[in-house]
Amino acid sequence: MGPDLVVPPIYSPLKPAIHPHHAAIDARAAAWAEQFRIGSEELRGRLVKHDIGTFAARVLPEGREEVVAIAADFIIWLFGVDDGYCEEGELGTRPGELMGALSRLLRIAQNPEVPMLAEDPLAQGLRDLRYRMDLYGTPGQVARWIDALREYFSSVVWEASFRSAGTVPDLNDYTLMRIYDGATSVMMPLLEMGQGYELQAHERDLTAVRAAAEMAYFIICWDNDVFSHHKEARAGGFYLNAVRVLEVEHDIPRDQALSMAIAQRDRVMNLFLRTAEYLQTYGSPQLRQFLDSLGHFIRGAEDWGVSSIRYTTPDDPANLPSTFRDTPSDDSPEPLDIPAISWWWDVLPEQDESRPSQGIAQASVDSFLHPIAQRTA
């Protein structure tokens, strides 16, 4: 594999936070995984040591404890699918069979009462998660969770097609699919449930709000690719990772690809901060809470990524940082040359000092549309 990559401290101006009952949440998540037998005994033995409950406690540091516990159990469940089915299981190289298996699980999420997969541990765990979500989420939030789960399932089947062929996608396609197969969007309804509100469609569906959420997905997934590269590369099998994709796309050494990946996420981080600041100014209290939660999600994933033994791999230590930096390695305001996401840089309106502030709902909706949409609106 060549020499180990040394990951430098990455740019993170976001403040760390953690739920005060994080230790209990982590312990309950481990017990839940054992109760429902998530993954093989060997996989489960690893997952319960990865501080996944602590991760959820970082994402929702002020959330209702019952919902933080749902988030923790759900993340373990997702790793049961991603590690057990996709990366380490036979289905990971059989896209058609994987699609069938995931579609059956999706049916359980849609209706946990269906008489299917009664003896399947992942299905039973998913039933439990759905019943608990019904207690704390609105029907709309649960429906959006199911839709996001469908996106996640589709993206991991796409990844399986490359795993079966042993090939690497181009950067644009990888970027587009990574923001789904990172299972980030599927956590969004839980951010709302945890704080006891529902973001209304007139704000949630604004182009700039959707872009801000996707920026968060990108940062979380690129960070994960940076922190997990050692673990994945040393595993000896096929893996898809932003560092590897950049290495192949640009035909550059691995350390240079790492620097490029970090520069890309730094540029998106700056854009996220600018976009969130603007939306915070004009948005409702619910939107402001949602944007705060995105920030906690990003920073929580970072803190967990550099500390969990899932990525530090103490038996074969990864060269991960223990601190963060407060300046970006790339502060360019220019869009990244990735068509699937370059439109993010167009969502902020031009500043007009003469125009009075009237709030998102009245004055600013048109300015949140992409320029192409403005021409057809």
Side-chain angles (χ1 to χ4, degrees):
M1 297 302 302
D4 286 346
L5 291 177
V6 177
V7 179
I10 64 168
Y11 170 52
S12 186
L14 302 168
K15 294 182 179 180
I18 192 167
H19 196 281
H21 299 151
H22 60 89
I25 292 167
D26 192 60
R28 287 204 300 271
W32 183 88
E34 295 289 356
Q35 176 186 353
F36 286 94
R37 298 181 292 114
I38 301 300
S40 67
E41 185 174 347
E42 190 274 333
L43 172 59
R44 189 165 62 253
R46 285 185 276 128
L47 290 177
V48 299
K49 298 176 182 177
H50 288 172
D51 300 322
I52 291 172
T54 303
F55 176 27
R58 293 185 184 279
V59 173
L60 284 165
E62 299 176 352
R64 291 186 289 188
E65 188 170 344
E66 299 87 350
V67 179
V68 183
I70 295 172
D73 297 345
F74 181 44
I75 295 169
I76 284 183
W77 186 89
L78 287 166
F79 281 127
V81 172
D82 193 55
D83 290 0
Y85 269 17
C86 303
E87 293 189 5
E88 300 176 13
E90 294 181 357
L91 291 179
T93 56
R94 300 173 183 173
E97 294 179 42
L98 178 61
M99 188 74 250
L102 296 177
S103 295
R104 290 186 285 275
L105 288 174
L106 184 66
R107 197 59 172 171
I108 302 298
Q110 292 169 327
N111 182 1
E113 298 295 332
V114 297
M116 296 167 53
L117 304 177
E119 303 300 321
D120 183 275
L122 283 174
Q124 291 297 82
L126 188 59
R127 282 189 169 94
D128 178 73
L129 290 165
R130 169 60 198 272
Y131 287 136
R132 291 158 66 196
M133 285 189 186
D134 284 341
L135 294 176
Y136 298 99
T138 68
Q141 289 169 332
V142 173
R144 286 188 283 113
W145 172 72
I146 293 168
D147 286 343
L149 195 61
R150 181 185 296 107
E151 289 179 339
Y152 165 68
F153 285 167
S154 297
S155 65
V156 297
V157 170
W158 169 86
E159 183 178 354
S161 70
F162 285 91
R163 187 181 293 108
S164 65
T167 56
V168 176
D170 66 35
L171 176 61
N172 187 64
D173 281 354
Y174 179 77
T175 303
L176 176 61
M177 300 306 290
R178 185 68 175 110
I179 61 178
Y180 299 117
D181 80 0
T184 44
S185 63
V186 79
M187 290 290 292
M188 292 300 103
L190 285 162
L191 300 185
E192 298 178 22
M193 292 180 203
Q195 300 293 339
Y197 73 94
E198 183 170 20
L199 188 61
Q200 296 302 300
H202 74 272
E203 289 189 311
R204 185 183 63 246
D205 295 336
L206 286 171
T207 301
V209 176
R210 290 189 291 107
E214 289 190 0
M215 293 172 206
Y217 307 160
F218 178 94
I219 297 165
I220 292 166
C221 290
W222 248 237
D223 285 347
N224 181 259
D225 283 0
V226 167
F227 297 145
S228 69
H229 184 272
H230 174 85
K231 167 186 174 290
E232 294 178 348
R234 295 287 168 172
F238 176 86
Y239 70 98
L240 271 181
N241 182 291
V243 176
R244 186 180 185 201
V245 170
L246 288 167
E247 183 183 5
V248 173
E249 177 98 356
H250 297 287
D251 191 22
I252 54 178
R254 188 163 296 173
D255 58 348
Q256 189 175 337
L258 172 67
S259 297
M260 183 177 291
I262 293 172
Q264 289 173 337
R265 58 84 60 198
D266 284 1
R267 202 184 296 190
V268 175
M269 175 69 88
N270 276 339
L271 180 63
F272 170 78
L273 295 172
R274 294 198 305 272
T275 305
E277 180 181 18
Y278 183 84
L279 292 172
Q280 289 270 14
T281 302
Y282 295 107
S284 68
Q286 292 79 18
L287 179 57
R288 292 197 291 272
Q289 179 63 67
F290 179 74
L291 294 165
D292 285 344
S293 294
L294 289 179
H296 286 307
F297 195 1
I298 293 170
R299 181 58 194 249
E302 292 168 348
D303 285 323
W304 181 66
V306 299
S307 62
S308 172
I309 65 170
R310 179 176 178 85
Y311 305 117
T312 62
T313 58
D315 292 338
D316 178 18
N319 290 313
L320 299 182
S322 58
T323 60
F324 297 90
R325 54 182 289 174
D326 57 9
T327 57
S329 64
D330 183 343
D331 61 0
S332 170
E334 296 301 313
L336 292 176
D337 186 20
I338 305 175
I341 64 171
S342 59
W343 62 272
W344 292 345
W345 278 260
D346 296 328
V347 299
L348 288 179
E350 296 293 333
Q351 296 298 315
D352 183 353
E353 299 295 337
S354 65
R355 184 178 184 177
S357 170
Q358 301 177 38
I360 288 178
Q362 299 177 25
S364 302
V365 171
D366 288 345
S367 67
F368 288 102
L369 296 172
H370 187 277
I372 293 175
Q374 288 185 21
R375 291 198 293 270
T376 59

